[in-house]
Amino acid sequence: MNWKLTYYNSAVQKEILKLPKTLVARYLRFVDLMQEYGANLGEPHTKALGDGLFELRLKGIEGIARIFYCTLIGKEIVILHSFIKKTMKIPLKERAIAIKRMKEIKNGI
């Protein structure tokens, strides 16, 4: 495995593991692929949102979830935030949380 995966904090990891089981299964599969091949698996699985922010797009029987992450120098992927998607667009509040956390990580706060 070439890429290292970390979480913004343990609460983020716990929230992801509380997602419905088909979404967690897809998450674990995509994370394995990201660790081997890199952060951007391409659409429809991942999408670059700009300024270094990415989203992992999960779809299962129970619904749709999005997981935001960024990359750091040294082949490190940092999982920032997750949420269950209920509307067509990403709510600004959810994206703002991810952007704030990404800035904290990249600025060493």
Side-chain angles (χ1 to χ4, degrees):
M1 301 211 183
N2 301 328
W3 288 74
K4 178 183 174 187
L5 184 86
T6 59
Y7 293 87
Y8 175 77
N9 59 29
S10 62
V12 170
Q13 185 177 15
K14 288 175 187 173
E15 279 299 312
I16 292 170
L17 296 177
K18 286 182 187 176
L19 291 171
K21 65 181 179 179
T22 60
L23 297 176
V24 172
R26 291 188 197 289
Y27 169 75
L28 294 173
R29 174 68 180 134
F30 288 140
V31 164
D32 283 345
L33 291 171
M34 289 167 54
Q35 287 178 313
E36 188 171 343
Y37 298 108
N40 194 354
L41 300 176
E43 291 192 40
H45 310 300
T46 61
K47 183 176 180 180
L49 300 177
D51 297 325
L53 186 64
F54 293 87
E55 72 173 343
L56 179 59
R57 306 163 117 196
L58 304 175
K59 188 174 184 179
I61 295 169
E62 301 98 344
I64 298 171
R66 294 293 187 257
I67 297 174
F68 293 109
Y69 63 95
C70 66
T71 59
L72 300 177
I73 295 172
K75 292 187 173 185
E76 184 175 357
I77 299 167
V78 181
I79 306 295
L80 302 167
H81 180 58
S82 69
F83 70 99
I84 298 289
K85 190 170 182 223
K86 297 178 182 174
T87 62
M88 289 296 290
K89 292 192 171 197
I90 297 172
L92 294 176
K93 178 184 106 178
E94 304 294 348
R95 189 173 177 149
I97 291 169
I99 290 170
K100 178 181 178 278
R101 290 177 176 178
M102 180 178 68
K103 286 179 181 177
E104 289 174 7
I105 294 288
K106 292 195 173 194
N107 293 327
I109 297 174

